[in-house]
Structure formats: C-alpha cells, structure tokens
Amino acid sequence: MGMERSAYLVVRRHDGLGNVYPLEPTHRHLIGRAKTSEIVLADDLCSRQHAEVYYREGAWWIRDCGSLNGTRVNGQLVTSECTLSPNDEVLIGRTRLVFVERLDQLEQTREMPVPVGEERLLIRKRLGRTRYEMTDLPDLAEQDITEPPTVLVNRQRISRDLSLLYRLALEMGLVSSDTELARVVLNGLLEATLADAALLCELHEGRASVLAHQERTLGGVTPRVPDFVIQEVIKTREAIFAEHPRRLQFSERDNPRTLLTRSGHGMISALICAPVVIHDRVELLLAVCVLDPLKSLTSEDLDVTVALAKQLAVSWQAVRRQQELAQENKRLRDQILQEVRLVGESAAMQEVKQKIQLAARSDATVLIRGETGVGKELVARAIHLCSPRAGKPFVCLNCAALAESLLESELFGHEKGAFTGATERKIGKFESAHQGTIFLDEIGEMTPSAQAKLLRVLEGHPFERVGGSQPIRVDVRVVAATNRPLEEAIRAGRFRMDLYYRLQVIEIYVPPLRERREDIPLLAEFFLRQFAQQMGRRLRGFTPAAMKKLLEHPWPGNVRELRNVIERAVVLSQHHTIDADDIWLAPVRPEGAVGETQKPTYEPISLEELEKRHIQATLEYTKWNKSQAARILGIERSTLDRKIHAYGLNKEAGKESPGDS
C-alpha cells in the first residue's frame, strides 16, 4: 500500500486546460456519458460506459469497455488495456485527457497562456448548472448510519447549504438597494466557504470593476480576479474553479502574508468565479478567493457560489426595477406638483394659498367657488397634497358630466343586476377614495336623491350601492366646487339647504383672471416654459406688444383660456419670441367684464350696413389678418375678399363715420 499513489486526468482544450479529475488508487474510475460514471464527459462521441482507469501492480492502467468509437492513448487504439505514463494523452470521442501523477507535471504540457504579471492559475472544474437545480438530491431526512463517512458528510453539507440558501433568499427578498443586496450575498459566501475574500464585480465592455467586497482578515487587501478567468467566464457562461498548481507544495512554515505580490494585491491560491446572467447577458461576476495556501475551496463551494449567483440575478433585477420605479414615481410626483402649482403673487392668490394651508390641516368639508376655468380643481388637489391624506387617492367627479340616472351609481357604485346594463358589480368613487379625498365638481348639478345620500355620508352614516343592502363605511374627505350661486338653486328648490350648510364649512373663493391681472405675466411665462419643453422648442419669451395684448384681454375663460392661448402660440409661432401676431384671442366678453358698462342700445340700420361694420371691426381686431378674420366670421377667405371689395373696405375705412358707405 505504501507504493500506491494518486494521479490526475486533466482535460486539454484548444485554448488550454480544463477540468481536473483526481484518481484514487483504491477505486476503478469509469469514464463515460452516463451520470453514474466516476468521470462524466458531455461528448456525443463518447459511449455511456466508454473506458475505465485503475491502479494495479504499481502502475496506472486504462481499459476500453467495448466503446463504439474506441479509446486512443497517444494516437494508438487501445484494444484491451495499456499502462499510462505522465503526459500521456488519452482521446475519448472528441475529448482529450492528459494523464499526470502530480499537478506540477502539467507545466511540461501546453498550458493556457497567461498574460505577463498574472498569477498562474489552472482551471480545475467548470460548472453551469448547480446540483440544487436537480431533482435527484439525496433524501436528507433518511440518513443511514451505516453509510460511509464521506456520504454522511456530503449529506450534512447539502443540508447546511440548503438551509443557508433558503435564509439568504429571504434576506435578499427584503432588501431595497443593490448595495444592501451585495452585502447580504458576499457575507453569505464567506459564511458558506473558507474563502478569505468575496467580490462582486460589474462588467463594462469585457472589463470588470469591483462593486463590493467583503474580507475576513486581509487588512484591506482586495484580490483581483485574473483577466483570463474573467474572459473564460464571459465566453462560456460557466463558473470556474481554479487553483495555483503549486498550492499543495507550500509548507506549513510559509506565512501567507509573504505571498503578497509587489503590485499590492494578494496572490490567489484558489478561486471560484461565477457569472450573474441578467437579460441573457453576463452583467456581474461573483467570486470567492483563497490567499492562504494551507486552505482550499471545494466542489461544494462551487455549487453554493453558482446557486447564489443565480439567486442574485433574480434579486438584482427586482431591486433595480424597484429603484427604477421609485425614481419614476418621484419624477411623476414632481411633475404633478409642477403641473398643479398655483402660479400667482397677487394679493388675491396669496389669500387663496393661505386658506389652502389652513384648510389642509383638518378634514373639514371645503366648498370652492369661482368661474369656469379659474382652477378650482387645482385648489382642491393642492388641499389634498398639503393634507395628511397626500399619499392616498385623489378622486375627481364632475356631477354635470353624467346623466341623472348614472350619477348615483358613479358616486356610490352598484350591484350586478341593479339596473339594465349592470352586468357586474361596480365600485363607486367614494369607495375608491377611501382614506383619501374626493373632489365633486359642479356640485349644484347633483340630483336630489344623490344629494340626500351624500348628506348622510357627510354626517358619518354608511351607504349602500345601488341595488345593494350591505352598508359600507368609508373615510373620505369631501371637497366640492361650483361656478354658480347655490343660493339661487336653494330658492328654486333644486338644492338642499342642509347639504349647502354641510358643504360650506370652509369656503374658498378663487377670483377670475381679470381681477388679478398682475398674475398674467407669471402665468404666461409658466405656460410658455411648460409647452416649449414638451414640444422641444426654444422660445425666449414675449415681445412687449404680445404681453400688452395679453394684459388688455378680459379673459372670459380665465386661466384655462390663457393656457390654451399660450399653447396655440407655441405651436404656431415661427419666431424665437412670441409676438402679438402669434396670439389669437376670442372676441368674447364675460358678463360684467371690464369695459362693459351697459347693454348695447338699438340702432336702426340695415343688415348690409351691420355686416359691413362687423367685417370692418373684425379686420381691425385681427390687424387685417384675413385668414384669421375669415375663421372668426365663419366664412371662406375668398368670400371675405369679395365682401371687402364689394363694401370698399380698407385699413382707413374704420376712420369713416358709421353712416359712411
């Protein structure tokens, strides 16, 4: 027995050396495609039981097992059996194996070229699929004490690793950042192996940069994964287990600290590097390193590293997606806050903003009054965003936009079969706004039955869906708005007085734009920047003539009209600055607008004279822009030209007396 010695079969690849298979003198090593073989070769020209290697009478022998394609040693076909000598090449199918008795004899063979300055490592094993993905794991619950010690140890290692992988999977699912995820994985690798350091590297155009690393007692020294290992992992998408060929030759007297190279990073004694494949591309590398030549890594460590790399790929995508969604959510929130920002520094707007801040502190019902287009919904949304309910839903409903038969269903929902067309249960706006805010626009248009039900909800009573009997309670703040005087609706019997008083706990009046003209320049510049950014245009502002035109307009449509005017100007302007010609204003004045002191009086003139005056006034309004005047008059441009010629109109005609023709 003293003469018996171990040996190795090493796979020779076209670009270097591959897996290393240790040979024990006490075993007969079967080589073949079958999983039951001692040495499994993924080679379609290899038989299931192709050949076997064994130790006998002080020498190593190889025997062909009746394979289809035969076994060759140094090119000679093995007919029965033959002895093996160091550096003999065994050909099985397409696979070439080098026989050596010691690993240092591999230096006499054609090794994979290693760049100058790299530590010389030999690849011992490659792995693409970990055993934890397979279904033929041993039954860990049924252990037989009569089994060999090596089998029992293997069972214990599998049980320990599965427990660790399960715990790490739970921890990886709880993290919210890639930094924390890397920390969990690297600490897990150091716990699972005897490695001195664990690294997570990010790949950029084939080059690796360290994202995170954990170490035991290296004193801040970070090992560097050799470039040829990185390239092999990227190319094959398989994990690599590599060792220094003279690792086992170091004596116990050697101090690992003396193995630090002049470049400042530790000489790697053993290394496992696994790819992290994301979106069908190797984006990260997970590596564990041993610098102490008296320690080693094992095939079980390789399995654990590959399993963790696959778990990391899934968790990394989830964390990155979560971070992207958080950033997108922040961007959208900032965009919403920008869009709903109340622009204006006038005394009237300062009062509105002050009332919003005061109203937001409580859950009291708010009634917002103001003309159409003044921004009542923006005020309601500002109240919601300033309140403790800001993170909850904000639900809007225009009471005037729905038919009387649908309003109650839209507010409170309905059950399946409650009426014709109710094919399924529907959740109403009040339920959708639970713990948030509901904004009821045009509250004066609400039906009497819906008013009664709304009053009960405001008083804290539950409600039922249309066609249902199940009471439903919600926690909702109500903000209502109207552009008409509710007092007249109460006198006409169209609106409940008790609901009016219940809504008018806090009242906010939003003034029309014509009453706060000092805000027009601010609003115009705000809308100009907004639309110019959306449309990718570079506009520097307004000319004095354009701003004068905006300030003199009565704005019957209020802020909404101003917004539409600026949007149209940004779209149609052909200059770098908005000029007066770019601004088209509708010739409509609201009731009570500035400049309207009394109703027009009757003047006994013919229809022809009335048409002539109206065409002349429209042309003067558009500064004789005939296309714009034709659109206002609702006629074709050619028709307008004929009427101008028939009536003898010109730019000086407006100076004539009304009776002149």
Side-chain angles (χ1 to χ4, degrees):
M1 293 293 292
M3 297 297 293
E4 294 178 356
R5 58 187 183 275
S6 300
Y8 302 90
L9 282 176
V10 182
V11 175
R12 173 175 285 167
R13 297 158 52 93
H14 68 282
D15 54 356
L17 299 174
N19 291 354
V20 177
Y21 299 104
L23 304 176
E24 296 296 332
T26 56
H27 290 77
R28 297 179 74 90
H29 298 270
L30 183 63
I31 305 174
R33 283 191 298 110
K35 291 184 178 180
T36 56
S37 303
E38 292 282 340
I39 300 176
V40 180
L41 300 181
D43 188 331
D44 56 351
L45 295 183
C46 176
S47 300
R48 293 181 58 82
Q49 295 182 350
H50 197 104
E52 65 175 351
V53 179
Y54 49 89
Y55 186 80
R56 189 184 70 202
E57 300 174 354
W60 284 94
W61 297 73
I62 186 167
R63 182 180 70 87
D64 186 79
C65 297
S67 64
L68 181 62
N69 296 304
T71 302
R72 287 175 170 78
V73 175
N74 297 327
Q76 299 297 318
L77 185 66
V78 177
T79 56
S80 56
E81 63 179 4
C82 73
T83 59
L84 292 172
S85 300
N87 294 321
D88 280 350
E89 183 177 274
V90 179
L91 181 62
I92 296 179
R94 296 189 179 94
T95 305
R96 293 182 299 160
L97 299 165
V98 180
F99 173 81
V100 291
E101 294 178 340
R102 299 188 314 274
L103 288 176
D104 59 356
Q105 293 173 335
L106 288 170
E107 293 183 349
Q108 303 169 16
T109 66
R110 291 174 294 173
E111 294 179 350
M112 179 186 299
V114 180
V116 176
E118 295 283 6
E119 300 297 341
R120 187 178 297 274
L121 294 174
L122 296 181
I123 297 174
R124 285 194 55 189
K125 189 174 181 181
R126 301 170 186 269
L127 185 65
R129 186 184 181 195
T130 175
R131 62 181 173 181
Y132 301 110
E133 300 176 66
M134 303 177 185
T135 58
D136 55 352
L137 283 173
D139 189 348
L140 303 178
E142 299 181 1
Q143 295 187 5
D144 186 355
I145 60 174
T146 64
E147 290 178 332
T150 55
V151 176
L152 290 176
V153 171
N154 187 47
R155 286 178 179 271
Q156 293 170 358
R157 176 65 192 260
I158 292 175
S159 177
R160 191 198 75 176
D161 290 347
L162 285 174
S163 176
L164 175 66
L165 290 172
Y166 174 72
R167 176 167 59 81
L168 291 178
L170 295 179
E171 294 181 13
M172 292 162 70
L174 294 175
V175 301
S176 57
S177 69
D178 48 11
T179 303
E180 184 69 12
L181 180 59
R183 186 191 64 80
V184 169
V185 171
L186 297 182
N187 284 340
L189 276 176
L190 292 182
E191 181 180 347
T193 68
L194 294 177
D196 294 314
L199 302 91
L200 179 64
C201 303
E202 188 174 23
L203 293 174
H204 292 288
E205 298 180 354
R207 295 185 174 273
S209 58
V210 178
L211 277 180
H213 77 280
Q214 294 287 342
E215 59 187 47
R216 293 190 194 273
T217 56
L218 299 182
V221 176
T222 303
R224 182 170 61 85
V225 181
D227 288 338
F228 83 95
V229 173
I230 293 173
Q231 298 306 320
E232 277 292 299
V233 172
I234 295 174
K235 181 173 64 176
T236 64
R237 294 194 177 189
E238 292 180 330
I240 284 179
F241 177 19
E243 281 188 325
H244 196 285
R246 288 187 291 272
R247 181 186 65 80
L248 299 178
Q249 298 178 19
F250 295 121
S251 69
E252 295 183 2
R253 295 188 302 273
D254 288 327
N255 184 354
R257 293 289 180 183
T258 65
L259 301 177
L260 298 179
T261 64
R262 290 188 297 272
S263 60
H265 62 275
M267 185 186 78
I268 296 175
S269 173
L271 165 72
I272 291 176
C273 184
V276 180
V277 181
I278 300 174
H279 301 308
D280 200 34
R281 187 173 67 251
V282 180
E283 294 191 4
L284 303 170
L285 295 177
L286 193 60
V288 288
C289 307
V290 170
L291 275 64
D292 187 342
L294 304 180
K295 294 194 302 185
S296 180
L297 297 172
T298 65
S299 296
E300 288 77 12
D301 297 333
L302 179 62
D303 264 312
V304 171
T305 306
V306 173
L308 262 179
K310 291 180 181 293
Q311 286 184 204
L312 176 61
V314 177
S315 299
W316 191 268
Q317 293 181 75
V319 168
R320 281 291 172 92
R321 179 60 177 161
Q322 183 179 350
Q323 292 176 332
E324 290 173 1
L325 290 175
Q327 294 173 357
E328 180 69 9
N329 187 36
K330 183 180 183 302
R331 187 188 67 79
L332 291 175
R333 283 181 174 273
D334 293 342
Q335 181 178 336
I336 290 174
L337 290 174
Q338 182 70 10
E339 291 178 355
V340 304
R341 186 157 64 93
L342 294 173
V343 179
E345 299 298 333
S346 63
M349 282 307 298
Q350 293 295 340
E351 183 179 353
V352 170
K353 293 178 182 179
Q354 184 179 7
K355 286 186 176 180
I356 289 173
Q357 293 292 336
L358 295 173
R361 299 174 185 174
S362 70
D363 279 343
T365 307
V366 179
L367 179 63
I368 305 173
R369 291 177 178 266
E371 295 179 4
T372 299
V374 294
K376 297 187 290 297
E377 183 177 339
L378 293 183
V379 173
R381 194 177 291 272
I383 294 172
H384 172 73
L385 293 175
C386 293
S387 73
R389 299 174 180 264
K392 301 300 180 180
F394 179 80
V395 179
C396 301
L397 178 66
N398 190 325
C399 300
L402 295 170
E404 181 177 349
S405 58
L406 296 178
L407 179 59
E408 191 172 348
S409 169
E410 194 72 20
L411 276 172
F412 306 108
H414 63 252
E415 298 288 349
K416 181 179 179 180
F419 49 83
T420 303
T423 57
E424 58 184 13
R425 171 187 287 182
K426 179 180 179 179
I427 302 299
K429 298 294 186 183
F430 265 94
E431 286 185 77
S432 301
H434 181 57
Q435 296 185 336
T437 304
I438 187 169
F439 174 59
L440 302 176
D441 199 8
E442 306 297 342
I443 190 72
E445 306 299 327
M446 186 174 287
T447 63
S449 61
Q451 290 179 34
K453 211 166 184 178
L454 173 61
L455 180 60
R456 285 186 57 81
V457 174
L458 292 177
E459 291 175 346
H461 297 287
F463 63 89
E464 298 86 28
R465 300 188 188 97
V466 177
S469 58
Q470 181 70 29
I472 301 171
R473 290 185 179 273
V474 292
D475 174 21
V476 174
R477 182 185 193 168
V478 176
V479 178
T482 181
N483 64 346
R484 295 182 181 181
L486 294 180
E487 295 80 5
E488 294 182 5
I490 293 172
R491 286 192 291 270
R494 297 192 305 271
F495 200 82
R496 297 176 62 106
M497 182 178 294
D498 48 2
L499 177 58
Y500 169 75
Y501 289 124
R502 191 67 183 80
L503 290 172
Q504 203 183 25
V505 177
I506 299 176
E507 181 176 300
I508 298 178
Y509 171 70
V510 185
L513 191 56
R514 62 181 175 274
E515 294 181 7
R516 51 185 184 103
R517 292 182 177 274
E518 58 267 43
D519 290 335
I520 292 176
L522 293 175
L523 285 164
E525 292 287 351
F526 174 79
F527 291 134
L528 176 63
R529 289 194 302 271
Q530 186 181 73
F531 292 120
Q533 183 179 6
Q534 290 178 6
M535 301 173 192
R537 300 207 55 190
R538 295 182 179 179
L539 296 170
R540 292 192 291 265
F542 299 87
T543 64
M547 187 58 66
K548 181 175 182 294
K549 190 172 184 179
L550 293 175
L551 289 170
E552 292 177 349
H553 187 64
W555 300 110
N558 292 294
V559 179
R560 182 185 294 124
E561 181 188 3
L562 175 61
R563 182 180 187 275
N564 295 338
V565 166
I566 302 303
E567 182 178 12
R568 180 167 49 244
V570 171
V571 173
L572 300 179
S573 175
Q574 298 179 356
H575 311 93
H576 294 294
T577 306
I578 301 297
D579 200 358
D581 293 338
D582 300 320
I583 297 174
W584 183 86
L585 301 172
V588 180
R589 289 181 178 269
E591 295 182 5
V594 176
E596 184 178 352
T597 57
Q598 60 182 7
K599 294 182 180 180
T601 57
Y602 171 74
E603 186 178 357
I605 57 175
S606 66
L607 287 174
E608 182 180 6
E609 178 64 23
L610 182 63
E611 182 182 53
K612 174 184 175 182
R613 293 185 184 181
H614 184 60
I615 292 175
Q616 178 71 39
T618 304
L619 289 169
E620 291 175 356
Y621 175 79
T622 61
K623 297 182 178 181
W624 277 80
N625 185 323
K626 295 181 181 180
S627 297
Q628 188 175 345
R631 286 198 301 271
I632 296 174
L633 295 170
I635 59 178
E636 296 291 334
R637 166 70 184 268
S638 58
T639 303
L640 177 60
D641 287 332
R642 288 197 301 272
K643 290 183 177 291
I644 291 174
H645 179 74
Y647 291 134
L649 301 178
N650 53 60
K651 291 186 178 181
E652 300 298 325
K655 299 178 181 180
E656 300 174 356
S657 63
D660 294 335
S661 59

